[in-house]
């Protein structure tokens, strides 16, 4: 094998090695980037789930407050009705003549 042929063979070997290395590095880079993208997607999904659970908790708290407000309104109406009834009873008692019994 002459020096020129050996030189040409080594050029092919080196070119092949560079292509292999570039391919290996490219695959590694693509794998790294895809892993990072997947981690970002998972982090976004977790953040969204946390936001939704927080929103659901806030909604539940608001619903409880509304229910308590309705209950409070019902109690106030009941107290007002009882107060009116007591006022009517008191006015009837004060309107009736009082009889004193002396011994």
């Amino acid at each position: 094998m002459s020096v020129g042929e050996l030189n040409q063979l080594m050029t092919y070997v080196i070119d092949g090695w560079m292509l292999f290395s570039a391919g290996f590095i490219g695959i590694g880079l693509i794998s790294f980037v895809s892993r990072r993208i997947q981690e970002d997607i998972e982090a976004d999904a977790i953040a969204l789930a946390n936001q939704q659970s927080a929103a659901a908790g806030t909604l539940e708290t608001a619903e409880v407050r509304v229910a308590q407000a309705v209950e409070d309104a019902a109690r106030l109406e009941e107290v007002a009705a009882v107060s009116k009834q007591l006022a009517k009873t008191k006015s009837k008692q004060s309107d009736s003549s009082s009889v004193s019994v002396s011994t």
Side-chain angles (χ1 to χ4, degrees):
M1 185 176 267
S2 69
V3 174
E5 291 173 339
L6 187 59
N7 191 15
Q8 190 175 11
L9 177 64
M10 291 307 292
T11 302
Y12 289 140
V13 170
I14 291 174
D15 287 345
W17 183 254
M18 287 192 316
L19 286 173
F20 174 75
S21 297
F24 185 75
I25 291 171
I27 290 172
L29 181 64
I30 289 171
S31 175
F32 172 75
V33 170
S34 65
R35 207 174 1 198
R36 290 292 307 208
I37 291 171
Q38 185 65 30
E39 288 173 358
D40 289 346
I41 290 171
E42 289 173 358
D44 287 344
I46 290 171
L48 181 62
N50 288 340
Q51 280 181 335
Q52 287 176 346
S53 66
T58 303
L59 179 62
E60 185 177 311
T61 302
E63 289 173 350
V64 167
R65 288 182 182 166
V66 167
Q68 287 176 346
V70 170
E71 290 174 3
D72 290 346
R75 286 184 193 142
L76 287 175
E77 288 177 6
E78 186 179 344
V79 167
V82 170
S83 295
K84 284 182 182 179
Q85 188 67 26
L86 286 175
K88 285 181 184 178
T89 305
K90 186 176 180 181
S91 69
K92 284 182 183 178
Q93 286 178 353
S94 65
D95 287 345
S96 65
S97 59
S98 54
V99 177
S100 34
V101 177
S102 341
T103 55

